[in-house]
Amino acid sequence: SLEFGGYSDKLLVFVEELVSLICAFDGPTEGEFQRALDIVRREQGSFDKQQPYQWAAYLARLATLSPEYTIDFLRLQTASATREQVQSFGRKFRDPNQHFYGQALL
């Protein structure tokens, strides 16, 4: 979801440029993907060492927000993530036949 706000005569130009950059992006290189995955895995590993009040906030979010995913589910998904899956998902946004819905208040 992308949301743009504020008033500027150049807002339309900015949005067009941003969408063209998103469409031109072919996904991360293998090295970039591995670095990003390593950061996510480290953050997930540090989750087990959180203070009790942080655990309570996490459990409260699980109970009150939707969708919220458990750390165990996220770890399982991270373990099986591949660069090809990321690129395949990203192609949906670069497909010229894929339609976008937008709303603008000018």
Side-chain angles (χ1 to χ4, degrees):
S1 170
L2 297 175
E3 188 173 316
F4 302 92
Y7 175 78
S8 172
D9 292 337
K10 297 181 181 180
L11 184 60
L12 183 60
V13 174
F14 172 71
V15 172
E16 287 174 342
E17 179 67 21
L18 184 62
V19 170
S20 69
L21 288 172
I22 289 171
C23 290
F25 182 66
D26 194 31
T29 65
E30 185 63 32
E32 292 168 338
F33 177 74
Q34 290 303 324
R35 282 192 300 275
L37 199 56
D38 181 55
I39 290 169
V40 170
R41 287 181 178 149
R42 287 175 191 231
E43 289 173 352
Q44 291 173 346
S46 68
F47 182 85
D48 296 330
K49 300 172 185 80
Q50 289 185 356
Q51 296 294 323
Y53 69 89
Q54 291 172 315
W55 273 92
Y58 161 72
L59 294 173
R61 281 193 315 274
L62 284 179
T64 59
L65 298 178
S66 65
E68 276 289 315
Y69 303 103
T70 65
I71 190 69
D72 295 326
F73 175 79
L74 294 174
R75 286 177 178 158
L76 182 64
Q77 296 302 310
T78 302
S80 64
T82 66
R83 178 175 172 251
E84 290 76 24
Q85 289 172 325
V86 171
Q87 287 180 320
S88 174
F89 180 76
R91 281 189 201 101
K92 293 178 184 177
F93 301 108
R94 295 185 306 276
D95 183 357
N97 297 321
Q98 180 73 35
H99 299 286
F100 288 96
Y101 170 77
Q103 182 176 359
L105 177 61
L106 303 174

